[in-house]
Amino acid sequence: MKQSSSLFHIYIQSLLFLIYLLTKTRNRMKMGSGFAAWNVFLCLLLFMSAYRSGAKEMTDILSQSEELIGLNHDAHHHVHAHQSSHMDHMDPSSMVFFTMKDLKKGITMPIYFRVNELSNVFPHLLPREEADSIPFSLEELAFLLKHFSFSKDSTQARAMEHTLKQCENQPIEGEIKFCPTSLESMLDFARSAFSSGTEFKFVNTRRLTKSTTEFQNYTILEVPDQIFAPKMVACHTMPYPYAVFYCHSQETENKVFRVSLVGDNGDRVEAIAVCHMDTSKWSRDHASFRVLGIEPGSSHVCHFFQPDNLIFVPVSSSISNL
């Protein structure tokens, strides 16, 4: 399983590099058979991965995105959907937060990792032309529900409304954000976030063993590695009938880490985590403050990324032990 996970990661890196090269030259290509052939080629590459869909997948992603992004945006666009302040009553999907004092070899903590991985998400990515032909607006929700044959009271309808609201809300001060609906538009946004000419790559959380366990205690196996990146772009999977990501980048200081974990049941995870060093503008209702028992601005906040998230960093980023 570890070998297949590594092969898939190499495959996706190669795919992203291919698209990066092709999108760099797209302005020199005429709209016609060449561009159509590229779209067919992209689709063939994407559908080489396993296909997975359904209401449960959208529900799982909705739960996690509510934790990290929030159903109701305010000072930091991060509001938890549940009001309980007691750890025992918290949604397990909120158990992704920690502080840097927890980043030590041998530390054990409860962590939620969705089963969904990039191999499940990429087949849902549409070519840019197809994605751009479908309205992506809260004003068009009624049309979209009819288009995808969802009732207005369904789980899918709630998930779509949530995604459209988050994507249309304005970014906070010092943040840029975008919800790409195609791989090309995601790469365009990442490219615009970095300095001109900066080459970038992606890192992501990877399950190294096959498992259906989403929530359990994990122990840090080795001293975590810090990925020194002057800037990062994080892309979170959003619940939608096709692949949509919530991508954002902040000017405030962030620290990125790679953490080797083992679960109580033997599951191995190579996780990517980020520590946001300035939380002064975050909402007091942010889930992390209840989980960690802290106040906005009183401490940094760290969280693990889910396996189906993408984190773009400059290729030149160095790595060293914490």
Side-chain angles (χ1 to χ4, degrees):
M1 181 63 187
K2 182 174 181 180
Q3 183 181 15
S4 62
S5 176
S6 298
L7 288 174
F8 174 74
H9 196 257
I10 293 171
Y11 157 67
I12 295 299
Q13 288 281 15
S14 301
L15 175 59
L16 287 173
F17 180 68
L18 172 64
I19 297 172
Y20 172 74
L21 292 177
L22 289 171
T23 53
K24 282 186 70 175
T25 61
R26 72 183 184 278
N27 289 333
R28 289 173 286 177
M29 296 174 64
K30 294 182 179 181
M31 296 295 291
S33 59
F35 194 80
W38 144 241
N39 275 336
V40 172
F41 182 55
L42 172 62
C43 291
L44 288 173
L45 286 173
L46 294 178
F47 278 90
M48 285 172 65
S49 301
Y51 186 87
R52 177 174 178 256
S53 62
K56 183 181 185 300
E57 178 183 355
M58 293 182 75
T59 302
D60 292 344
I61 297 175
L62 174 61
S63 179
Q64 182 68 22
S65 62
E66 286 175 356
E67 297 298 336
L68 290 177
I69 300 173
L71 277 172
N72 301 303
H73 280 47
D74 51 15
H76 192 236
H77 307 329
H78 288 73
V79 180
H80 185 29
H82 308 289
Q83 297 302 316
S84 173
S85 61
H86 301 290
M87 188 77 72
D88 291 342
H89 298 121
M90 282 190 174
D91 187 329
S93 64
S94 68
M95 304 305 293
V96 294
F97 301 105
F98 61 97
T99 60
M100 287 182 63
K101 67 179 177 59
D102 300 314
L103 281 178
K104 297 178 181 178
K105 180 179 179 180
I107 289 289
T108 298
M109 63 182 110
I111 309 172
Y112 175 89
F113 287 118
R114 278 200 302 270
V115 173
N116 203 37
E117 300 190 49
L118 283 177
S119 59
N120 306 127
V121 176
F122 271 69
H124 297 270
L125 275 166
L126 301 180
R128 191 202 297 267
E129 279 192 317
E130 183 177 353
D132 289 348
S133 71
I134 303 172
F136 189 75
S137 167
L138 191 59
E139 288 185 353
E140 300 288 346
L141 181 58
F143 167 81
L144 290 167
L145 293 178
K146 184 177 180 180
H147 178 79
F148 291 108
S149 301
F150 295 143
S151 68
K152 65 179 182 179
D153 298 321
S154 65
T155 298
Q156 293 92 333
R158 175 173 171 254
M160 291 175 66
E161 181 179 13
H162 162 78
T163 292
L164 292 169
K165 282 182 177 179
Q166 308 318 311
C167 290
E168 292 185 6
N169 275 309
Q170 293 298 310
I172 62 171
E173 182 182 351
E175 178 189 49
I176 57 172
K177 52 166 278 195
F178 178 64
C179 287
T181 56
S182 67
L183 190 56
E184 300 102 313
S185 60
M186 185 195 308
L187 292 175
D188 283 348
F189 175 75
R191 189 179 303 111
S192 68
F194 294 109
S195 301
S196 178
T198 299
E199 295 184 358
F200 53 87
K201 62 182 179 181
F202 84 90
V203 293
N204 71 300
T205 292
R206 293 188 291 159
R207 287 181 174 270
L208 303 183
T209 51
K210 187 176 180 62
S211 175
T212 57
T213 300
E214 294 188 320
F215 182 58
Q216 63 174 317
N217 284 328
Y218 284 89
T219 300
I220 299 179
L221 285 175
E222 303 170 0
V223 177
D225 292 326
Q226 182 172 356
I227 302 172
F228 291 95
K231 180 173 283 190
M232 58 166 278
V233 175
C235 293
H236 308 275
T237 310
M238 298 296 286
Y240 213 68
Y242 54 89
V244 172
F245 287 83
Y246 180 101
C247 297
H248 62 135
S249 180
Q250 300 174 347
E251 292 180 358
T252 54
E253 182 184 5
N254 300 290
K255 297 184 178 181
V256 184
F257 299 92
R258 180 182 289 121
V259 188
S260 295
L261 301 166
V262 61
D264 281 351
N265 68 350
D267 284 357
R268 292 288 306 278
V269 177
E270 185 180 85
I272 300 297
V274 63
C275 293
H276 301 287
M277 306 310 291
D278 181 3
T279 62
S280 59
K281 295 181 181 179
W282 292 22
S283 167
R284 289 186 175 276
D285 292 323
H286 191 293
S288 64
F289 298 139
R290 283 192 290 278
V291 172
L292 302 175
I294 58 177
E295 297 289 329
S298 66
S299 170
H300 61 273
V301 167
C302 307
H303 68 81
F304 289 104
F305 285 99
Q306 294 302 308
D308 56 6
N309 293 174
L310 287 164
I311 306 90
F312 293 97
V313 297
V315 170
S316 60
S317 302
S318 60
I319 300 175
S320 69
N321 292 130
L322 182 61

